[in-house]
């Protein structure tokens, strides 16, 4: 018995000591402190939506071409005796300037012969008029009242007059041919190419070169039906003083630098292209080598240019960042004060690299989220951080403390209790 007591008594003492220590530790331990800040939601970047007016733009491309371009060709045949030093590829020419001259000796001889023929016809007409007067005098002296026209020499007089007119026509013809030995420029411009030189024999209609006017150049810009609607132009448009065409900004790289020129839409083409189903809008730039040039750099024919056409103006739209669009028509909106995410469907009117413009679904001042979010859902907890225009970041979701959580729980419980009491 004593042996059992000796074994059990130490065990009981140990149990009492351990239990007493646990009780004392539980009584005197410090209270558990709750963290003031609760776990935060996913941090996202957002930008504020802005209500504004939208000036639509249409961006297309086209090739510059001269409005007037002709092939220089002679109207007569002959050997080239003179070529203007300006009549070379790239040369500047003036209106009325002689570009090519043909040998004129043959045509000068023709003029001399024609003048001789005119003199002979004039002499024959004068003689015939004198004889007609004598015949008329003889008829009167003889008292003949019913003399025939032949007796009055009327047919002979008419023939002499006709011969004179024919001789004068021949003179005018050879004189015209002589004048055509000098081939002049019908307008001021530049030479695109030359295909004739001294000593070459040319025939009527043979190409001697190509020149174009430098007063106006034009660009044909193909537009789809949707793009034509954005410009606000009718299908059959021609610029007038009452209805001027929209402005067009042409741009391209020239000698490694970006150049711009300002033109206007003048008209639309007569019909749609049957292959592409596009309609061409014709834009023009006046004086491309002078006042219309960009710091002395002309918009020369042959350049391939980008063209931005001013379109319609739409009032009262909301601009959001282009990166805020999710797919075609969805946007994530951040409720900054409450730290919640909303998924909305918007009506996108137009979008560029500068932003997307919507007519509904987003209000002015709301935060459009630009950060990528996986598995997003309505009501998702987030922390909204606004990206300012200067690049700085501003938090828009306040941090919630334990006291805020308890207050929200109490308010929720109170509302639930009132609802339950009202239902009873």
């Amino acid at each position: 018995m004593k042996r059992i007591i000796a074994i059990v008594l130490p065990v009981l003492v140990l149990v009492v000591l351990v239990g007493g220590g646990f009780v004392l530790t539980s009584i005197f331990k410090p209270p558990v402190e709750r963290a003031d800040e609760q776990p935060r939601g996913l941090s996202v970047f957002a930008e504020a939506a802005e209500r504004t007016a939208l000036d639509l733009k249409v961006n297309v491309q086209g090739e510059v071409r001269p409005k007037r371009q002709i092939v220089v060709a002679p109207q007569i045949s002959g050997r080239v005796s003179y070529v203007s030093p300006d009549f070379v590829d790239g040369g500047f020419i003036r209106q009325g300037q002689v570009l090519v001259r043909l040998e004129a000796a043959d045509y000068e001889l023709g003029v001399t012969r024609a003048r001789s023929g005119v003199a002979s016809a004039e002499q024959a007409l004068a003689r015939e008029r004198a004889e007609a007067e004598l015949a008329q005098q003889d008829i009167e002296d003889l008292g003949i009242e019913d003399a025939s026209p032949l007796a009055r020499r009327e047919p002979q007089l008419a023939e002499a007059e006709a011969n004179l007119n024919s001789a004068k026509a021949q003179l005018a013809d050879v004189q015209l041919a002589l004048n055509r030995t000098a081939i002049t420029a019908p307008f001021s411009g530049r030479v695109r190419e030359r295909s004739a030189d001294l000593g070459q024999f040319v025939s009527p209609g043979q190409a001697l070169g190509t020149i174009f006017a430098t007063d106006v150049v034009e660009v044909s810009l193909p537009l789809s039906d949707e793009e034509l609607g954005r410009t606000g132009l009718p299908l059959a448009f021609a610029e007038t003083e009452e209805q001027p065409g929209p402005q067009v900004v042409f741009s391209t790289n020239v000698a490694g630098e970006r150049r711009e020129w300002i033109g206007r839409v003048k008209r639309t083409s007569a019909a749609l292209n049957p292959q592409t189903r596009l309609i061409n809008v014709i834009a023009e730039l006046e004086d491309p080598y002078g006042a219309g040039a960009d710091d002395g750099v002309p918009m020369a024919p042959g350049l391939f240019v980008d063209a931005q056409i001013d379109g319609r103006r739409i009032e009262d739209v909301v601009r959001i960042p282009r990166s805020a669009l999710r797919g075609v028509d969805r946007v994530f909106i951040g409720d900054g004060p409450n730290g919640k995410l909303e998924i909305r469907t918007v009506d996108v009117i137009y979008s560029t690299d500068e932003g997307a413009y919507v007519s509904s679904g987003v209000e002015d001042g709301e935060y459009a989220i630009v950060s990528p979010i996986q598995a997003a859902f309505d009501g998702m907890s987030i922390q909204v951080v606004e990206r300012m225009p200067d690049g700085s970041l501003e938090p828009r979701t306040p941090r919630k403390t334990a006291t805020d959580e308890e207050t929200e729980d109490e308010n929720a419980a109170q509302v639930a209790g009132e609802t339950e009491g009202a239902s009873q």
Side-chain angles (χ1 to χ4, degrees), residues 303-387:
L303 284 176
F304 198 73
V305 296
D306 300 319
Q308 185 180 76
I309 306 173
D310 288 348
R312 296 183 294 113
R313 183 179 180 86
I314 302 177
E315 302 290 347
D316 196 25
V317 294
V318 176
R319 187 188 69 83
I320 61 175
R322 178 67 180 82
S323 56
L325 280 179
R326 315 285 169 157
V328 177
D329 58 357
R330 289 200 311 161
V331 175
F332 294 167
I333 299 298
D335 184 353
N338 297 319
K340 300 297 182 181
L341 180 144
E342 298 179 30
I343 300 177
R344 298 185 190 172
T345 301
V346 297
D347 183 12
V348 181
I349 299 176
Y350 184 61
S351 65
T352 65
D353 294 337
E354 298 177 353
Y357 298 84
V358 301
S359 60
S360 63
V362 182
E363 297 299 327
D364 183 31
E366 291 186 318
Y367 297 112
I369 299 173
V370 297
S371 299
I373 302 177
Q374 294 182 353
F377 57 90
D378 273 321
M380 179 178 180
S381 295
I382 57 174
Q383 296 287 324
V384 179
V385 179
E386 183 182 1
R387 181 181 294 160

Side-chain angles (χ1 to χ4, degrees), residues 12-52:
L12 292 175
V13 172
L14 181 60
V15 170
V16 171
L17 292 175
V18 171
F22 180 77
V23 171
L24 292 175
T25 301
S26 301
I27 294 173
F28 294 105
K29 72 177 182 178
V32 178
E33 296 182 359
R34 296 186 63 181
D36 289 337
E37 185 177 344
Q38 297 301 309
R40 304 177 62 187
L42 177 66
S43 293
V44 295
F45 293 122
E47 295 184 22
E50 177 187 9
R51 188 168 297 279
T52 182

